[in-house]
Amino acid sequence: MTTPVTEVIPKQSSATLTDAKHTLRNSLKHAVLLPAAFLFLLPFIWMLSTSLKSDAQLFTYPPVWIPNPVQFSNYPNAVNYIPFFLYLKNTLTITVFSVIGATISCSLVAYSLARIQWPGRKLLTLLTIATLMLPYQVTLIPVFLIFKRLGMVGDLRPLILPQFFGVAYYIFLLRQFFATIPMELSEAAYVDGANEFRIYWAIILPLAKPALATIAVFQFIASWRDYLGPLIYLNDQKLYTLSLGLQQYSGQYGREWGLLMAASVLFTLPVIIIFFFTQKTFVQGVTLSGIKG
Amino acid sequence: MTASSQIEAAPPRSPRWSRKSRRNTFWGILFASPWLIGLALFWVGPIIASFYYSFTEFNAIKTPVFIGLTNYVDMFTKDDLFWTGVYNTLYFAVVSIPLAIITAFGLALLLNAKIRGQTFYRTVYYLPVLVPEVALALVWIYLFNPATGLINVPFDWLGIRGPCWNACPQWAKPTMVLLALWIIGNQVVLYLAGLQDVPQELNDAASVDGANAFHRFLNVTLPIMTPVIFFHLVTSVIGAFQFFTIPFIMTGGTGAPANSLMFYSILLYKNAFAYFKMGYASAMAWLMFVVILGITLVIFASARRWVYYGGVDLS
């Protein structure tokens, strides 16, 4: 308030100058970011637009952006062209059980690695990280043969059971999170006579809800979109997942693009919705895996 | 109860093996047991089995027959498709990884300043990562149709004929490289997070010393970001060798046209699950593992020269 006016004026003018420079620079940035955003959105826009087109408009050139007329009949037709709801049920079965399995097993293992002082935990942590570096192709064949010997090839179990035995990436994520919870909390509970399971269940899990939600979402999306797993393990069409079902939209004259794009929209939408609701934890999960790795 | 009281009665073997550490070991192993079983069943066992299979002829039904190094020798001397797969995969890795680093880092740099709509942009750039690859690959087939695909429109504006994209051998791999750039949302998020760690004081200090934006980027931002670039580089080498679903769907599993999209991972899958040459496929998997490991070790060894660990907490 007591600052002399003469000093304020030059500051203001220089501020407006840098403001102008700032605005110009930001506009230039938007000039790159906005077209890039358009390109990243293009597959969705095109999926959606194609799903609302009549057959006559599918292969007009140049292509039509906004369908005229907009017709929704591709959607009911798409779910009838293949046994969509059966495939949805199969996909959901795999997804839900995988999420349950991964959440339980990974939180237990992460608790062991982060919260219990036992001789093998450093080595086990190292091994856990090492498995992340191994290309899946190395274990693919023997694991397939194990399930074949167990008589499980052809049903959904090979796509669910492994998650009950821990997923390295999620164990690592949870370990990082559990390690940030102050040890004093556990020690106080010890003094009160709680055992490790009680501490895990009553103290750590409630505090780790956001991290658990993150890995649940990661596993949901991973199972939902998995293609190679169902491709290898499922041979009975009754047990197909949506990712396999999408390839069945081909008729006499090649692919039924209108139906296929409608089905793709239905297949993609749940993932996008989940992402929008969990975006914050999602981004934290991605970041945690990279930076602290 | 009796057993534990007996042990208690015995003199402690070492102070480390106290009652508390015994209890910890018990609980530690108990909590880790799902993963200890999983690790043995789905990782250690299979790794050993796969290594053994790679020296056998094995069709998944009869018992494997040991044939020494034959699979490896055949790979190098008799299988032309193997070399095609190696070439295609290396081409993809060498061209797409630097492009992905530049694009993801570039977008993150533009997003980093307190720019309006930062969350919107970040979300949009991330979305293709979420789309099931099957759906993405199918949309791309439609978009990149050489005759009627939307992709030809900008070329029409310029009055030139667009390339034949994934329909002809000379354009198929560049098309894949281009498509792979769509799915870099994870990396954009990582670079963006890394950029938030660049201390503003350093930039300010450099500004006071008269460094312009380019010099500040070169001498402040870039060194601090090298660990993120390093992480991206290492993970994308593995990723490039595992690039499977998108080319598999887009070529109907054939690697067409003229095997120009026959990537190593597709060939391996075909050998294992279409021709049931499990021994040969295992040998391919092990060779791939060794090559990835080799490249990764080279990158790690080079890290000392270019990765700057001063500014980032590597806990």
Side-chain angles (χ1 to χ4, degrees), chain B residues 54-293:
Chain B
S54 77
F55 300 106
T56 66
E57 191 179 341
F58 183 29
N59 65 0
I61 298 163
K62 292 186 200 145
T63 29
V65 179
F66 189 80
I67 52 168
L69 286 169
T70 312
N71 285 329
Y72 291 95
V73 174
D74 282 358
M75 222 186 284
F76 283 93
T77 55
K78 286 188 187 156
D79 189 351
D80 287 343
L81 221 45
F82 166 78
W83 289 110
T84 311
V86 169
Y87 170 74
N88 289 343
T89 304
L90 287 179
Y91 176 108
F92 178 76
V94 168
V95 182
S96 80
I97 294 174
L99 273 177
I101 291 176
I102 292 167
T103 313
F105 194 9
L107 288 174
L109 275 174
L110 290 176
L111 277 179
N112 182 42
K114 287 180 211 102
I115 199 159
R116 270 184 67 174
Q118 192 196 46
T119 319
F120 163 77
Y121 285 125
R122 195 183 62 190
T123 307
V124 167
Y125 297 164
Y126 197 80
L127 282 180
V129 179
L130 296 165
V131 185
E133 283 170 305
V134 184
L136 207 52
L138 289 166
V139 183
W140 280 335
I141 295 176
Y142 189 61
L143 272 171
F144 279 80
N145 183 318
T148 59
L150 181 69
I151 193 75
N152 297 300
V153 171
F155 292 92
D156 282 359
W157 292 340
L158 299 173
I160 52 171
R161 210 180 140 73
C164 44
W165 305 112
N166 57 327
C168 54
Q170 66 270 34
W171 275 96
K173 275 189 286 293
T175 305
M176 282 302 138
V177 169
L178 194 66
L179 294 184
L181 284 181
W182 244 295
I183 26 190
I184 54 170
N186 263 325
Q187 285 73 33
V188 175
V189 170
L190 282 179
Y191 284 114
L192 205 49
L195 283 170
Q196 326 260 286
D197 288 346
V198 177
Q200 189 55 45
E201 310 89 73
L202 270 183
N203 263 323
D204 292 346
S207 289
V208 171
D209 290 347
N212 62 27
F214 179 70
H215 282 118
R216 284 202 303 273
F217 169 74
L218 215 58
N219 298 312
V220 179
T221 310
L222 193 59
I224 291 180
M225 289 299 286
T226 46
V228 187
I229 298 174
F230 174 74
F231 178 79
H232 184 184
L233 187 62
V234 170
T235 49
S236 55
V237 167
I238 304 172
F241 276 86
Q242 301 191 339
F243 191 50
F244 174 81
T245 304
I246 285 165
F248 188 82
I249 301 270
M250 289 189 78
T251 65
T254 63
N259 288 322
S260 57
L261 295 180
M262 178 56 88
F263 288 101
Y264 197 86
S265 58
I266 296 180
L267 188 62
L268 198 158
Y269 166 84
K270 285 180 91 84
N271 270 308
F273 297 100
Y275 313 140
F276 296 104
K277 290 160 76 176
M278 297 286 184
Y280 191 73
S282 296
M284 282 187 73
W286 267 90
L287 185 75
M288 170 178 161
F289 179 37
V290 170
V291 169
I292 292 178
L293 201 65

